[in-house]
Amino acid sequence: MMLERWIRLLKEHIHTNCEQMTRDPAGQLGHPYTVPAGPNSPYYSTALWDWDSWSTSIVLGQVEVDTDRRGLFAPYERGSLFNFFEHTDGDGVMPVQLTPEGTLVHGDATLAGGFAENMHKPVVAQHAALLAQRERSAEWVRAYMPTIGRFVDRYLKSHVHTETGLAYWQSDFAVGVDNDPSVFFRPSKSTGAVYLNGLLYRELLAYGYLLEELQEVAEANRRRRQAQDLADAVVACLWDERDGTFYSADLALRPIDEKDWLHRGAPRSWSSLLLRVDGWSSFMPMWAGLASGEQAERMLERTRDKRTFRANYGIRSLSRLEKMYDLRASNNPSNWLGPVWGISNYLVFRGLVRYGFEEDARDLAEKTIRLFGRDLETSGSLHEFYHPDTGEPIMTKGFQNWNFLVLNMIAWLEGRVVVAEF
């Protein structure tokens, strides 16, 4: 059977080639670390990236379980975090990307620049918690807990909208989902992105977990209350009862001016407007556990709709009905206007598993196996993103990183021990 052959092929490839994503200390990176691709990749062979290193650790944990290589990757996974910690300033600003030669910047994310640029995505505590759970101890991160605390507080103090309680992107620089139309080319500080809020919610819970593991229970509970406050804001502001899904929010509303006679007779009573852009990140609240059971049931139907998201090889990164839908090859920014990505397939899959939609989770896992198995068999490698209907690779041969999360999907399909994110 083709699926079984591709499973064997992918297992062998990932188990054999995952070590290509490890690097020894170099330049300003004083600790071993991980990268998204092997040494021959034109874009990703030397740089330490934020959410890429987190997702790589999810994969490497599965490799350890599958192959009994426990502890082999710990220096690289911990080292990735240590490198970020040691390049975090006293105000909690942590870079998005580091290379041996320098730091990726666009504008000034520090106090001097008013904290007005994006920084590392909120997956730091999640990354540390993932490793702590695998190692059954958080002691190794104790010395860096104040750094994680400053990082989390920088998000809460400088990236949260007062009226709604939602986290927002400072700009469209390095948001991960590069050209998401709800963020890309929009005004600064204007998007309460559903993707960002899902990550930050889990980040607060992960930070609470680490604190409790280190016997700081009162502070752990305070962080969990902050997580609940954010969850309340997400449900109140980002859920659309009409469409049965979560959307990002437009926060760029004019302030209420009581002296303005034109509006004071009926000032606005709303603090944001829904940005009804139908992208894959609308499913992030399922991954994060923010959706109610009823909400998840309604969103499930959207994953099944062939007019919008459902494709032969997974979940389109943007609904086919959106006017912005476009499958062109693009590297800067990477294209999330419809192509299938390994990480979006995986995170939607995890959301389906969380809510018990096992038949749909199985379908998505098998589609992902077919996508990557076919590519590996044909080209000898994997790519960054793909045509959703034909499965043809669009660009960046040699990309590994979160594509290797298909290994975790395979473990779930086979009923084996599954390593998952915190």
Side-chain angles (χ1 to χ4, degrees):
M1 183 178 176
M2 296 285 284
L3 195 69
E4 293 174 353
R5 187 175 84 239
W6 286 330
I7 285 174
R8 288 194 300 271
L9 185 65
L10 286 166
K11 281 183 180 179
E12 180 181 357
H13 178 76
I14 296 169
H15 291 161
T16 301
N17 291 285
C18 61
E19 293 183 38
Q20 292 182 359
M21 297 189 292
T22 61
R23 296 290 180 274
D24 293 328
Q28 69 166 344
L29 297 175
H31 301 272
Y33 65 103
T34 62
V35 297
N40 298 321
S41 168
Y43 306 113
Y44 300 114
S45 61
T46 63
L48 170 63
W49 289 87
D50 52 3
W51 71 317
D52 305 70
S53 60
W54 164 65
S55 63
T56 296
S57 277
I58 305 169
V59 173
L60 294 179
Q62 191 65 53
V63 172
E64 287 190 358
V65 169
D66 289 357
T67 63
D68 197 26
R69 284 187 271 181
R70 294 183 185 275
L72 176 66
F73 303 109
Y76 302 95
E77 296 174 277
R78 289 185 184 185
S80 296
L81 284 168
F82 293 161
N83 284 319
F84 279 124
F85 293 152
E86 292 173 11
H87 286 83
T88 301
D89 70 17
D91 296 306
V93 175
M94 188 179 297
V96 170
Q97 183 244 60
L98 296 165
T99 67
E101 298 76 27
T103 303
L104 179 66
V105 295
H106 182 272
D108 188 350
T110 70
L111 173 62
F115 304 115
E117 192 49 272
N118 294 330
M119 60 175 186
H120 195 299
K121 292 164 201 66
V123 294
V124 174
Q126 292 179 74
H127 195 169
L130 167 67
L131 300 183
Q133 287 179 325
R134 274 167 48 192
E135 299 176 26
R136 298 181 176 86
S137 173
E139 282 299 325
W140 61 272
V141 78
R142 183 185 288 276
Y144 290 103
M145 288 296 285
T147 303
I148 298 177
R150 287 192 294 273
F151 169 76
V152 170
D153 283 338
R154 180 50 48 215
Y155 263 103
L156 296 178
K157 293 174 181 177
S158 301
H159 294 70
V160 172
H161 184 241
T162 302
E163 283 190 79
T164 61
L166 294 171
Y168 57 79
W169 292 120
Q170 299 286 352
S171 73
D172 61 359
F173 164 65
V175 298
V177 188
D178 290 11
N179 57 355
D180 171 2
S182 68
V183 182
F184 196 54
F185 270 92
R186 281 183 47 80
S188 298
K189 308 178 191 293
S190 68
T191 302
V194 63
Y195 159 76
L196 173 61
N197 281 275
L199 289 181
L200 185 56
Y201 171 70
R202 297 301 303 179
E203 184 78 345
L204 288 163
L205 292 180
Y207 188 38
Y209 164 80
L210 291 171
L211 287 163
E212 183 166 2
E213 288 294 298
L214 296 171
Q215 290 79 52
E216 297 184 42
V217 177
E219 179 64 5
N221 289 335
R222 186 173 79 88
R223 296 302 184 168
R224 287 165 177 152
R225 288 193 294 271
Q226 290 175 332
Q228 186 57 56
D229 289 342
L230 182 60
D232 293 343
V234 168
V235 173
C237 299
L238 303 185
W239 172 253
D240 185 13
E241 182 63 23
R242 184 186 74 184
D243 292 353
T245 192
F246 289 88
Y247 291 116
S248 296
D250 182 358
L251 307 177
L253 307 184
R254 285 167 45 189
I256 296 172
D257 182 357
E258 295 181 356
K259 297 179 181 179
D260 180 7
W261 63 267
L262 182 62
H263 302 102
R264 67 187 177 200
R268 63 174 171 85
S269 58
W270 52 94
S271 55
S272 63
L273 294 172
L274 286 172
L275 283 166
R276 289 189 171 93
V277 175
D278 226 359
W280 77 271
S281 55
S282 288
F283 301 108
M284 280 292 285
M286 290 179 65
W287 167 81
L290 285 164
S292 68
E294 182 180 347
Q295 289 169 339
E297 288 278 0
R298 294 189 65 187
M299 295 174 73
L300 175 64
E301 295 306 313
R302 299 172 69 79
T303 70
R304 295 172 172 174
D305 191 344
K306 294 181 180 179
R307 300 171 305 157
T308 56
F309 290 107
R310 184 182 178 90
N312 293 334
Y313 292 92
I315 297 292
R316 301 175 199 276
S317 49
L318 188 71
S319 164
R320 188 163 54 178
L321 295 182
E322 292 288 356
K323 292 184 182 297
M324 300 79 74
Y325 186 77
D326 188 342
L327 301 178
R328 76 180 67 187
S330 171
N331 178 256
N332 187 22
S334 297
N335 186 9
W336 295 78
L337 298 177
V340 164
W341 285 71
I343 186 64
S344 46
N345 268 12
Y346 175 78
L347 293 175
V348 174
F349 160 80
R350 291 295 308 160
L352 293 169
V353 171
R354 178 186 287 274
Y355 285 87
F357 304 132
E358 294 199 357
E359 183 178 338
D360 294 87
R362 176 175 294 276
D363 177 71
L364 184 50
E366 291 179 352
K367 285 180 174 177
T368 307
I369 291 165
R370 283 196 292 273
L371 175 66
F372 293 145
R374 243 186 46 154
D375 188 19
L376 187 57
E377 196 168 57
T378 302
S379 73
S381 185
L382 302 182
H383 290 72
E384 193 170 13
F385 50 93
Y386 296 81
H387 193 291
D389 301 308
T390 68
E392 292 301 310
I394 294 177
M395 70 174 300
T396 319
K397 185 176 182 178
F399 189 79
Q400 297 174 334
N401 189 22
W402 49 53
N403 287 353
F404 282 8
L405 286 166
V406 69
L407 188 69
N408 305 60
M409 292 172 148
I410 290 169
W412 181 84
L413 282 174
E414 294 180 341
R416 297 185 290 106
V417 173
V418 178
V419 174
E421 57 280 12
F422 173 85

